[in-house]
């Protein structure tokens, strides 16, 4: 009788141990996301910054603006300067046209003098003089063209400065660049900022990465692209089960991080892996999770 009782108790404990092993996860870790900072690209006063922590943006959107008054005034000044330079170019072109007309007249005189010289009615000095006059006017045209090239260069420089101001004005608009959730906000409207000042932090929380650690003897059981079951706490006794995909496996081993509290602490060297999990709203950065192969 006693033997039968002892055998029954042993079977109960054995069955319980098997169930415990079956329910035990293969790896443990925490959820993380790639966050990034949006900083001011221009210095000035924030005129608007229409977002709050926790806001979710489904697509790129302008959410703020930095004052562009001084940039606009500089641009208007450059536009006036550009107009003045352009009028100077027109004046130079008019001078070239006058010189070209003079050459046209001198060439007609040259034809007449050359004919008279051939008939003995003109001297060689007259031929030399007309040729010299044509050469002088040609050099004058060349000098004016050189002057015109410098003016065109000045005009190009002013145009590039206007382009630079247009770029700064465009960068004064503050955008959420893609699908993202606002994690932190550092400034409000009417505050002064410098170029490079962080304004807010974003992350795409539509999916999170669960970073877990596995032992060396588990490496053969997992590969990139493999689907695994991901478990997160539902209550003290139950878990939610989600689907995840392995997207990264570390090529180097490392010591078990202190934040990982596994049920079996017999392995000192582990390998980190990342499992991407679609977020239905219940996953949060830093939340613990488990996986089963």
């Amino acid at each position: 009788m006693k033997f039968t009782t002892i055998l029954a108790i042993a079977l109960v404990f054995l069955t319980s141990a098997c169930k415990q092993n079956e329910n035990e996860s293969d790896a443990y870790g925490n959820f993380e996301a790639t966050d990034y900072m949006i900083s001011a690209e221009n210095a000035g006063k924030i005129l608007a910054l229409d977002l709050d922590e926790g806001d979710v943006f489904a697509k790129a959107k302008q959410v703020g603006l930095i004052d562009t008054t001084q940039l606009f005034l500089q641009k208007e000044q450059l536009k006036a300067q550009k107009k003045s330079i352009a009028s100077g170019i027109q004046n130079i072109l008019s001078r070239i046209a006058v010189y070209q007309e003079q050459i046209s007249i001198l060439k007609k005189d040259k034809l007449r003098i050359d004919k008279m010289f051939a008939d003995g009615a003109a001297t060689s000095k007259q031929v030399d003089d007309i040729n010299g006059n044509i050469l002088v006017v040609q050099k004058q045209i060349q000098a004016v063209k050189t002057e015109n090239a410098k003016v065109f260069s000045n005009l190009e420089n002013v145009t590039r400065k206007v382009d630079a101001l247009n770029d700064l004005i465009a960068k004064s608009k503050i955008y959420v660049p893609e699908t993202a959730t606002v994690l932190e906000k550092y400034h409000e409207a009417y505050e002064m900022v410098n170029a490079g000042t962080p304004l807010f932090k974003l992350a795409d929380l539509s999916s999170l990465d669960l970073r877990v650690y596995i032992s060396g003897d588990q490496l053969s059981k997992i590969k990139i692209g493999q689907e695994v079951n991901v478990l997160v706490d539902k209550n003290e006794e139950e878990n939610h089960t989600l689907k995840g995909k392995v997207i990264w496996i570390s090529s180097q081993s490392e010591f078990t991080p202190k934040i990982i509290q596994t049920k079996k602490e017999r392995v000192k060297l582990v390998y980190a892996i990342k499992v991407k999990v679609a977020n239905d709203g219940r996953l949060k950065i830093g939340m613990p999770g488990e996986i089963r192969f």
Side-chain angles (χ1 to χ4, degrees):
M1 182 69 177
K2 290 183 179 180
F3 176 77
T4 305
T5 303
I6 293 173
L7 180 60
I9 293 174
L11 288 173
V12 169
F13 275 106
L14 181 61
T15 303
S16 176
C18 290
K19 288 184 178 178
Q20 183 176 356
N21 289 334
E22 289 176 359
N23 293 331
E24 186 174 343
S25 296
D26 295 300
Y28 303 79
N30 295 85
F31 286 96
E32 59 185 31
T34 301
D35 57 57
Y36 54 97
M37 207 82 66
I38 298 297
S39 301
E41 296 186 73
N42 193 19
K45 180 191 291 185
I46 300 175
L47 297 182
L49 190 55
D50 301 325
L51 53 72
D52 292 299
E53 294 180 356
D55 285 352
V56 179
F57 293 87
K59 58 182 180 180
K61 182 180 179 181
Q62 182 181 347
V63 295
L65 178 68
I66 295 175
D67 187 15
T68 60
T69 302
Q70 292 301 316
L71 296 175
F72 175 78
L73 293 176
Q74 292 177 36
K75 179 181 174 181
E76 291 300 305
Q77 183 179 9
L78 287 173
K79 286 168 67 177
Q81 184 178 348
K82 187 176 179 180
K83 186 176 180 180
S84 176
I85 294 174
S87 65
I89 292 175
Q90 187 60 44
N91 180 50
I92 290 173
L93 294 177
S94 298
R95 288 165 56 191
I96 292 176
V98 170
Y99 288 135
Q100 288 176 337
E101 184 63 25
Q102 289 180 1
I103 287 181
S104 179
I105 295 172
L106 288 172
K107 286 183 177 180
K108 291 179 181 178
D109 291 341
K110 174 178 169 54
L111 290 174
R112 187 168 52 253
I113 292 174
D114 286 343
K115 185 176 180 181
M116 293 172 60
F117 181 75
D119 294 337
T123 64
S124 59
K125 182 178 182 307
Q126 289 176 304
V127 174
D128 293 339
D129 288 344
I130 194 65
N131 288 331
N133 291 337
I134 292 174
L135 184 60
V136 168
V137 176
Q138 287 176 337
K139 289 184 178 180
Q140 288 175 331
I141 289 177
Q142 190 61 40
V144 173
K145 285 183 177 180
T146 301
E147 181 182 346
N148 195 39
K150 293 180 180 178
V151 176
F152 266 112
S153 178
N154 291 337
L155 183 62
E156 182 68 17
N157 288 336
V158 174
T159 300
R160 295 287 76 80
K161 290 180 180 179
V162 171
D163 292 340
L165 286 176
N166 285 333
D167 181 61
L168 285 176
I169 290 173
K171 288 179 178 177
S172 296
K173 298 177 181 179
I174 304 169
Y175 284 91
V176 171
E178 59 185 1
T179 301
T181 299
V182 181
L183 302 182
E184 298 178 18
K185 182 181 179 181
Y186 307 117
H187 288 278
E188 300 291 341
Y190 307 115
E191 293 183 354
M192 295 293 296
V193 293
N194 294 318
T197 300
L199 300 177
F200 49 88
K201 182 189 289 186
L202 299 173
D204 183 2
L205 302 185
S206 60
S207 64
L208 294 184
D209 296 336
L210 177 61
R211 179 189 285 266
V212 298
Y213 296 85
I214 61 175
S215 61
D217 58 1
Q218 291 176 304
L219 277 176
S220 60
K221 300 178 182 179
I222 200 162
K223 60 183 179 180
I224 293 177
Q226 178 179 338
E227 289 192 353
V228 296
N229 289 324
V230 177
L231 281 66
V232 295
D233 294 338
K234 182 177 182 180
N235 52 47
E236 291 184 0
E237 297 180 355
E238 297 179 296
N239 295 319
H240 285 293
T241 300
L242 305 171
K243 291 295 182 181
K245 180 179 290 187
V246 178
I247 60 171
W248 174 78
I249 301 175
S250 174
S251 59
Q252 295 182 340
S253 62
E254 57 185 291
F255 286 102
T256 307
K258 294 181 180 179
I259 60 171
I260 303 301
Q261 298 296 329
T262 63
K263 295 179 181 178
K264 291 183 179 180
E265 297 180 346
R266 65 179 183 272
V267 180
K268 292 184 178 181
L269 286 176
V270 294
Y271 293 83
I273 70 172
K274 287 184 181 181
V275 177
K276 183 169 288 294
V277 184
N279 187 4
D280 58 2
R282 76 184 71 184
L283 302 181
K284 308 296 180 184
I285 296 175
M287 177 186 290
E290 311 171 12
I291 66 168
R292 293 179 183 173
F293 300 152

